[in-house]
Amino acid sequence: MSDPSAVFARETSTRPSRASLRTAVVWDVLKDALDRRAEASGKDTLDVLDTGGGSGKFAVPVARLGHRVTVVDPSPNALFALERRVAEAGVADLVTGVQGDIRGLFDVVEREGFDAVLCHGVLEYVDDPAEGVRNAVAALRPSGALSLLAAGLGGAVLARALAGHFSEARHALGDPDGRWGDADPVPRRFTADQLTELAEAAGLEVGAVHGVRVFADLVPGVLVDTEPGALEALLKLEAAAAELPSFHAVATQLHVLGEKRG
Ligand SMILES: C[S@@+](CC[C@H](N)C(=O)[O-])C[C@H]1O[C@@H](n2cnc3c(N)ncnc32)[C@H](O)[C@@H]1O
Protein backbone atom coordinates (compact mmCIF):
# COMPACT_ATOMS: atom_id res chain seq x y z
CA MET A 1 0.00 0.00 0.00
CA SER A 2 1.40 3.44 -0.85
CA ASP A 3 1.83 6.12 1.79
CA PRO A 4 -1.77 7.20 2.55
CA SER A 5 -0.84 10.65 3.86
CA ALA A 6 0.97 11.46 0.64
CA VAL A 7 -1.85 10.11 -1.54
CA PHE A 8 -4.59 11.95 0.30
CA ALA A 9 -2.54 15.14 0.40
CA ARG A 10 -1.98 14.98 -3.34
CA GLU A 11 -5.61 14.26 -4.24
CA THR A 12 -7.03 16.88 -1.93
CA SER A 13 -4.30 19.45 -2.61
CA THR A 14 -3.60 19.84 1.10
CA ARG A 15 -0.73 18.98 3.42
CA PRO A 16 -1.47 15.97 5.64
CA SER A 17 -3.68 17.20 8.46
CA ARG A 18 -5.38 15.74 11.52
CA ALA A 19 -8.45 15.31 9.26
CA SER A 20 -6.49 12.96 7.02
CA LEU A 21 -6.31 10.51 9.96
CA ARG A 22 -10.05 9.97 9.46
CA THR A 23 -9.93 9.44 5.71
CA ALA A 24 -6.49 8.31 4.55
CA VAL A 25 -6.95 4.52 4.84
CA VAL A 26 -10.35 4.55 3.11
CA TRP A 27 -9.17 6.98 0.45
CA ASP A 28 -6.13 4.88 -0.38
CA VAL A 29 -8.22 1.70 -0.77
CA LEU A 30 -10.96 3.50 -2.70
CA LYS A 31 -8.62 5.24 -5.12
CA ASP A 32 -6.89 1.98 -5.86
CA ALA A 33 -10.28 0.30 -6.52
CA LEU A 34 -11.34 3.13 -8.86
CA ASP A 35 -8.06 2.95 -10.76
CA ARG A 36 -8.46 -0.82 -11.20
CA ARG A 37 -12.12 -0.43 -12.27
CA ALA A 38 -11.16 2.23 -14.82
CA GLU A 39 -8.43 0.01 -16.22
CA ALA A 40 -10.65 -3.11 -16.35
CA SER A 41 -13.54 -1.27 -18.01
CA GLY A 42 -11.31 0.69 -20.39
CA LYS A 43 -12.94 3.99 -19.31
CA ASP A 44 -11.13 7.07 -18.00
CA THR A 45 -14.35 8.47 -16.54
CA LEU A 46 -16.34 6.20 -14.24
CA ASP A 47 -19.92 6.72 -13.07
CA VAL A 48 -19.75 6.79 -9.28
CA LEU A 49 -22.68 6.91 -6.84
CA ASP A 50 -22.11 8.23 -3.32
CA THR A 51 -25.21 7.23 -1.39
CA GLY A 52 -25.49 9.23 1.82
CA GLY A 53 -22.59 11.25 0.47
CA GLY A 54 -23.39 14.26 2.67
CA SER A 55 -21.37 17.37 1.93
CA GLY A 56 -18.97 15.59 -0.42
CA LYS A 57 -16.01 14.56 1.72
CA PHE A 58 -15.34 11.73 -0.72
CA ALA A 59 -17.35 12.93 -3.74
CA VAL A 60 -15.04 15.92 -4.28
CA PRO A 61 -11.72 14.02 -4.32
CA VAL A 62 -13.35 11.30 -6.50
CA ALA A 63 -14.46 14.00 -8.97
CA ARG A 64 -10.94 15.46 -8.88
CA LEU A 65 -9.78 12.14 -10.29
CA GLY A 66 -12.01 12.90 -13.29
CA HIS A 67 -14.98 10.66 -12.46
CA ARG A 68 -18.68 11.64 -12.63
CA VAL A 69 -20.21 11.49 -9.16
CA THR A 70 -23.89 11.40 -8.19
CA VAL A 71 -24.48 12.15 -4.51
CA VAL A 72 -27.82 10.94 -3.12
CA ASP A 73 -28.64 12.27 0.34
CA PRO A 74 -31.92 13.01 2.17
CA SER A 75 -30.56 16.14 3.85
CA PRO A 76 -31.12 19.48 2.04
CA ASN A 77 -28.47 21.07 4.28
CA ALA A 78 -25.90 18.46 3.27
CA LEU A 79 -26.76 18.95 -0.40
CA PHE A 80 -26.42 22.72 -0.03
CA ALA A 81 -23.00 22.28 1.59
CA LEU A 82 -22.10 19.86 -1.21
CA GLU A 83 -22.97 22.43 -3.85
CA ARG A 84 -20.71 25.00 -2.21
CA ARG A 85 -17.82 22.58 -1.70
CA VAL A 86 -18.05 21.31 -5.28
CA ALA A 87 -18.05 24.86 -6.66
CA GLU A 88 -15.04 25.83 -4.55
CA ALA A 89 -13.19 22.72 -5.75
CA GLY A 90 -13.98 23.53 -9.40
CA VAL A 91 -15.67 20.17 -10.08
CA ALA A 92 -19.30 21.33 -10.46
CA ASP A 93 -19.48 19.82 -13.95
CA LEU A 94 -18.67 16.37 -12.52
CA VAL A 95 -20.83 16.23 -9.37
CA THR A 96 -24.63 16.06 -9.18
CA GLY A 97 -26.48 16.24 -5.88
CA VAL A 98 -29.87 14.52 -5.67
CA GLN A 99 -32.26 14.45 -2.74
CA GLY A 100 -33.23 10.89 -1.90
CA ASP A 101 -32.44 8.00 0.41
CA ILE A 102 -30.95 4.56 0.09
CA ARG A 103 -34.32 2.89 0.68
CA GLY A 104 -35.94 4.55 -2.33
CA LEU A 105 -32.67 4.72 -4.26
CA PHE A 106 -34.21 3.69 -7.59
CA ASP A 107 -36.75 6.50 -7.44
CA VAL A 108 -33.82 8.83 -8.12
CA VAL A 109 -31.06 6.84 -9.84
CA GLU A 110 -30.82 4.06 -12.37
CA ARG A 111 -30.48 0.39 -11.39
CA GLU A 112 -27.12 -1.02 -12.55
CA GLY A 113 -26.09 2.49 -13.60
CA PHE A 114 -22.76 2.82 -11.78
CA ASP A 115 -19.21 1.50 -11.97
CA ALA A 116 -18.65 2.17 -8.27
CA VAL A 117 -20.88 2.89 -5.28
CA LEU A 118 -19.82 4.47 -1.99
CA CYS A 119 -21.91 3.88 1.11
CA HIS A 120 -19.98 5.56 3.91
CA GLY A 121 -21.41 6.17 7.36
CA VAL A 122 -24.99 5.41 6.34
CA LEU A 123 -25.82 1.85 7.45
CA GLU A 124 -25.65 2.99 11.08
CA TYR A 125 -28.68 5.22 10.51
CA VAL A 126 -31.04 3.23 8.26
CA ASP A 127 -33.90 1.04 9.51
CA ASP A 128 -32.82 -1.96 7.47
CA PRO A 129 -29.06 -2.19 6.75
CA ALA A 130 -29.50 -5.39 4.68
CA GLU A 131 -31.90 -3.57 2.36
CA GLY A 132 -29.45 -0.64 2.18
CA VAL A 133 -26.58 -2.87 1.08
CA ARG A 134 -28.83 -4.74 -1.40
CA ASN A 135 -29.79 -1.42 -3.01
CA ALA A 136 -26.18 -0.22 -3.10
CA VAL A 137 -25.18 -3.46 -4.88
CA ALA A 138 -28.20 -3.27 -7.22
CA ALA A 139 -27.01 0.19 -8.32
CA LEU A 140 -23.76 -1.36 -9.57
CA ARG A 141 -23.04 -2.60 -13.06
CA PRO A 142 -21.70 -6.19 -13.13
CA SER A 143 -18.16 -6.28 -11.66
CA GLY A 144 -18.68 -2.79 -10.20
CA ALA A 145 -17.00 -1.89 -6.90
CA LEU A 146 -18.76 -1.21 -3.60
CA SER A 147 -17.04 0.76 -0.84
CA LEU A 148 -18.82 0.22 2.47
CA LEU A 149 -17.81 2.09 5.63
CA ALA A 150 -19.58 1.77 8.98
CA ALA A 151 -19.00 2.22 12.69
CA GLY A 152 -17.20 -0.67 14.42
CA LEU A 153 -18.44 -2.17 17.67
CA GLY A 154 -15.06 -2.90 19.26
CA GLY A 155 -13.70 0.61 18.71
CA ALA A 156 -16.62 2.10 20.62
CA VAL A 157 -16.22 -0.37 23.49
CA LEU A 158 -12.51 0.42 23.75
CA ALA A 159 -13.09 4.19 23.57
CA ARG A 160 -15.75 4.12 26.33
CA ALA A 161 -13.54 1.97 28.54
CA LEU A 162 -10.44 4.16 28.07
CA ALA A 163 -12.56 7.22 28.93
CA GLY A 164 -13.46 5.52 32.21
CA HIS A 165 -17.06 4.69 31.24
CA PHE A 166 -16.75 0.99 32.07
CA SER A 167 -20.48 0.23 32.47
CA GLU A 168 -21.23 1.87 29.13
CA ALA A 169 -18.44 -0.14 27.50
CA ARG A 170 -19.93 -3.37 28.90
CA HIS A 171 -23.43 -2.29 27.82
CA ALA A 172 -22.23 -1.81 24.22
CA LEU A 173 -20.63 -5.26 24.26
CA GLY A 174 -23.96 -6.91 25.07
CA ASP A 175 -26.28 -4.60 23.13
CA PRO A 176 -27.66 -6.08 19.87
CA ASP A 177 -27.03 -2.73 18.12
CA GLY A 178 -23.68 -2.11 19.82
CA ARG A 179 -24.89 1.06 21.55
CA TRP A 180 -23.41 2.13 24.89
CA GLY A 181 -26.61 3.73 26.22
CA ASP A 182 -29.60 5.96 25.51
CA ALA A 183 -27.36 9.00 24.96
CA ASP A 184 -25.29 7.20 22.32
CA PRO A 185 -25.65 9.26 19.11
CA VAL A 186 -24.92 6.26 16.87
CA PRO A 187 -27.98 3.99 16.33
CA ARG A 188 -26.06 0.90 15.27
CA ARG A 189 -22.54 -0.51 15.03
CA PHE A 190 -21.12 -3.56 13.29
CA THR A 191 -18.44 -6.19 13.64
CA ALA A 192 -16.28 -7.00 10.61
CA ASP A 193 -18.10 -10.34 10.28
CA GLN A 194 -21.54 -8.70 10.30
CA LEU A 195 -20.55 -6.17 7.64
CA THR A 196 -18.92 -8.83 5.49
CA GLU A 197 -21.99 -11.09 5.77
CA LEU A 198 -24.29 -8.22 4.74
CA ALA A 199 -22.13 -7.52 1.70
CA GLU A 200 -21.88 -11.17 0.64
CA ALA A 201 -25.62 -11.77 1.12
CA ALA A 202 -26.25 -8.84 -1.25
CA GLY A 203 -24.17 -10.45 -4.02
CA LEU A 204 -20.75 -8.93 -3.39
CA GLU A 205 -17.42 -10.72 -3.65
CA VAL A 206 -15.57 -9.19 -0.70
CA GLY A 207 -12.02 -8.31 -1.69
CA ALA A 208 -10.69 -6.53 1.39
CA VAL A 209 -11.65 -5.51 4.91
CA HIS A 210 -9.81 -2.69 6.67
CA GLY A 211 -9.95 -1.31 10.18
CA VAL A 212 -10.14 2.50 10.14
CA ARG A 213 -9.00 4.76 13.01
CA VAL A 214 -7.53 2.02 15.15
CA PHE A 215 -5.38 4.45 17.18
CA ALA A 216 -6.31 7.92 15.91
CA ASP A 217 -9.23 8.50 18.29
CA LEU A 218 -7.31 7.24 21.32
CA VAL A 219 -4.12 9.27 20.92
CA PRO A 220 -3.96 12.67 22.68
CA GLY A 221 -4.42 15.36 20.03
CA VAL A 222 -1.68 17.53 21.48
CA LEU A 223 0.87 14.79 20.82
CA VAL A 224 -0.08 14.60 17.15
CA ASP A 225 -0.15 18.39 16.80
CA THR A 226 3.13 19.23 18.51
CA GLU A 227 5.50 16.26 18.15
CA PRO A 228 7.50 16.66 14.89
CA GLY A 229 6.68 13.83 12.45
CA ALA A 230 4.06 12.28 14.76
CA LEU A 231 1.15 12.73 12.35
CA GLU A 232 3.01 11.15 9.43
CA ALA A 233 4.18 8.26 11.64
CA LEU A 234 0.65 7.70 12.97
CA LEU A 235 -0.76 7.68 9.43
CA LYS A 236 1.74 4.96 8.50
CA LEU A 237 0.88 2.97 11.63
CA GLU A 238 -2.85 3.24 10.84
CA ALA A 239 -2.20 2.00 7.28
CA ALA A 240 -0.20 -0.99 8.54
CA ALA A 241 -2.69 -1.98 11.26
CA ALA A 242 -5.73 -1.46 9.00
CA GLU A 243 -4.96 -4.63 7.07
CA LEU A 244 -4.55 -6.90 10.10
CA PRO A 245 -7.71 -8.78 11.19
CA SER A 246 -6.65 -8.63 14.85
CA PHE A 247 -6.97 -4.83 14.73
CA HIS A 248 -10.37 -4.88 12.97
CA ALA A 249 -11.86 -5.84 16.32
CA VAL A 250 -10.88 -2.50 17.88
CA ALA A 251 -11.22 -0.08 14.96
CA THR A 252 -13.57 2.90 15.20
CA GLN A 253 -14.81 2.14 11.67
CA LEU A 254 -14.72 -0.84 9.35
CA HIS A 255 -14.29 -0.64 5.61
CA VAL A 256 -15.38 -3.41 3.26
CA LEU A 257 -14.46 -3.30 -0.42
CA GLY A 258 -15.99 -5.73 -2.86
CA GLU A 259 -16.97 -6.40 -6.43
CA LYS A 260 -20.45 -7.23 -7.68
CA ARG A 261 -20.60 -10.83 -8.82
CA GLY A 262 -20.99 -10.88 -12.58
C1 LIG B 1 -22.20 10.33 8.95
S1 LIG B 1 -22.78 11.15 7.53
C2 LIG B 1 -21.66 10.52 6.32
C3 LIG B 1 -21.53 11.42 5.14
C4 LIG B 1 -20.53 10.96 4.07
N1 LIG B 1 -20.90 9.68 3.50
C5 LIG B 1 -19.12 10.93 4.60
O1 LIG B 1 -18.49 9.87 4.60
O2 LIG B 1 -18.64 11.98 5.00
C6 LIG B 1 -24.27 10.26 7.19
C7 LIG B 1 -24.99 10.74 5.95
O3 LIG B 1 -26.01 9.80 5.65
C8 LIG B 1 -27.16 10.50 5.27
N2 LIG B 1 -28.32 9.62 5.49
C9 LIG B 1 -29.04 9.42 6.61
N3 LIG B 1 -30.03 8.54 6.38
C10 LIG B 1 -29.92 8.14 5.09
C11 LIG B 1 -30.65 7.26 4.24
N4 LIG B 1 -31.70 6.59 4.71
N5 LIG B 1 -30.25 7.11 2.97
C12 LIG B 1 -29.17 7.80 2.49
N6 LIG B 1 -28.45 8.66 3.24
C13 LIG B 1 -28.81 8.83 4.52
C14 LIG B 1 -27.15 11.76 6.14
O4 LIG B 1 -27.94 12.80 5.62
C15 LIG B 1 -25.67 12.09 6.13
O5 LIG B 1 -25.32 12.94 5.08
Side-chain angles (χ1 to χ4, degrees):
M1 188 182 273
S2 53
D3 178 353
S5 59
V7 172
F8 194 76
R10 190 171 62 245
E11 300 308 337
T12 58
S13 307
T14 60
R15 290 177 54 238
S17 66
R18 282 278 294 284
S20 59
L21 278 172
R22 302 176 68 85
T23 43
V25 165
V26 177
W27 175 250
D28 211 31
V29 174
L30 175 63
K31 182 180 179 300
D32 198 48
L34 293 173
D35 288 350
R36 277 187 281 118
R37 196 69 225 117
E39 197 177 333
S41 63
K43 296 191 287 190
D44 289 337
T45 302
L46 298 175
D47 294 305
V48 178
L49 171 66
D50 191 352
T51 172
S55 60
K57 190 167 76 187
F58 283 89
V60 165
V62 169
R64 278 207 178 112
L65 296 176
H67 303 307
R68 266 185 302 272
V69 189
T70 303
V71 174
V72 173
D73 200 287
S75 160
N77 287 345
L79 291 172
F80 182 67
L82 171 74
E83 200 177 307
R84 256 196 340 222
R85 196 171 192 168
V86 156
E88 277 166 18
V91 289
D93 53 333
L94 286 170
V95 181
T96 308
V98 181
Q99 194 168 7
D101 69 45
I102 199 164
R103 178 160 213 191
L105 192 58
F106 302 111
D107 295 341
V108 292
V109 301
E110 207 187 317
R111 227 171 246 278
E112 299 212 337
F114 298 91
D115 302 295
V117 172
L118 281 57
C119 180
H120 291 177
V122 177
L123 295 184
E124 297 91 323
Y125 301 95
V126 299
D127 292 336
D128 184 349
E131 177 192 54
V133 181
R134 276 198 305 274
N135 284 351
V137 173
L140 284 171
R141 295 176 179 139
S143 303
L146 177 66
S147 171
L148 206 55
L149 180 69
L153 168 65
V157 171
L158 195 63
R160 290 325 277 171
L162 292 182
H165 304 294
F166 307 122
S167 299
E168 290 177 354
R170 189 165 54 84
H171 186 281
L173 262 186
D175 186 75
D177 293 322
R179 302 184 73 224
W180 46 256
D182 291 341
D184 189 340
V186 178
R188 193 182 291 105
R189 295 187 178 84
F190 301 85
T191 63
D193 283 350
Q194 286 169 335
L195 214 53
T196 304
E197 279 164 26
L198 280 177
E200 287 176 344
L204 206 74
E205 191 78 51
V206 171
V209 180
H210 286 86
V212 180
R213 287 154 57 195
V214 173
F215 311 101
D217 300 349
L218 306 173
V219 172
V222 65
L223 196 152
V224 178
D225 291 338
T226 57
E227 192 71 28
L231 174 60
E232 288 77 6
L234 181 53
L235 280 161
K236 285 180 183 163
L237 175 64
E238 288 282 355
E243 304 197 353
L244 304 177
S246 46
F247 285 98
H248 297 167
V250 291
T252 300
Q253 291 176 304
L254 296 160
H255 184 251
V256 169
L257 180 81
E259 187 172 294
K260 184 175 184 168
R261 290 189 204 112

